[in-house]
Amino acid sequence: MKTTATNTTGFQDILTRKEAELIRVLRNRDDIAIEKSADQMDEIQYATERDLAICNVDRDSILLREVKAALRRVGDGSFGACVQCEEAISPKRLAAVPWAQRCIQCQEAADRDRQQGTESFNETLVNAA
């Protein structure tokens, strides 16, 4: 199912604004600076803050890729259709997550598969130790 031109225009505006916001946020990476201190507790706090900043950059980078992919789907007319099953993504889901590429059922299945893969990887690490 393909969304109508009027529907995609609204989503395109939302996605374009989100893209600009993420680009602006990702340009500001001052929180990742490596700071040194003679105090070991300060060092630990700096490292924790740096790790958190790196996680935020990773999350925002992934989200930016998803937003750009959604904008490409708007452009090619496939926006609103699940990339897996090709069924329509519910309007409620698109309203909540305009960059969603899967319907809720396919997304839940992908999340389960990812979780099982992580558990399997962790088990392999434990057995290797």
Side-chain angles (χ1 to χ4, degrees):
M1 184 213 126
K2 301 196 184 217
T3 54
T4 65
T6 50
N7 287 349
T8 57
T9 301
F11 284 117
Q12 185 172 15
D13 292 344
I14 292 167
L15 291 165
T16 301
R17 284 193 305 272
K18 187 66 172 178
E19 178 184 36
E21 172 192 335
L22 290 166
I23 288 170
R24 189 181 73 257
V25 167
L26 287 168
R27 282 191 182 139
N28 183 10
R29 297 183 187 146
D30 296 339
D31 295 339
I32 301 177
I34 298 174
E35 299 180 45
K36 294 290 181 186
S37 173
D39 182 16
Q40 189 174 14
M41 291 306 289
D42 286 343
E43 283 282 327
I44 292 169
Q45 182 169 350
Y46 293 152
T48 301
E49 289 171 358
R50 186 175 54 249
D51 290 345
L52 179 60
I54 290 170
C55 287
N56 288 338
V57 167
D58 285 345
R59 183 197 65 230
D60 290 342
S61 295
I62 290 167
L63 182 55
L64 180 58
R65 282 193 298 275
E66 291 174 356
V67 168
K68 286 182 176 195
L71 284 167
R72 282 191 300 276
R73 289 192 303 276
V74 167
D76 70 17
S78 64
F79 182 81
C82 177
V83 297
Q84 258 181 293
C85 70
E86 298 181 4
E87 292 294 320
I89 299 173
S90 104
K92 282 186 194 178
R93 177 159 170 73
L94 287 175
V97 186
W99 48 87
Q101 59 182 330
R102 293 181 182 94
C103 66
I104 195 71
Q105 294 83 4
C106 290
Q107 186 62 55
E108 287 173 349
D111 290 345
R112 277 192 307 274
D113 290 347
R114 189 177 314 118
Q115 183 178 4
Q116 288 172 351
T118 302
E119 289 171 358
S120 174
F121 178 73
N122 290 339
E123 186 177 309
T124 302
L125 289 177
V126 168
N127 291 336

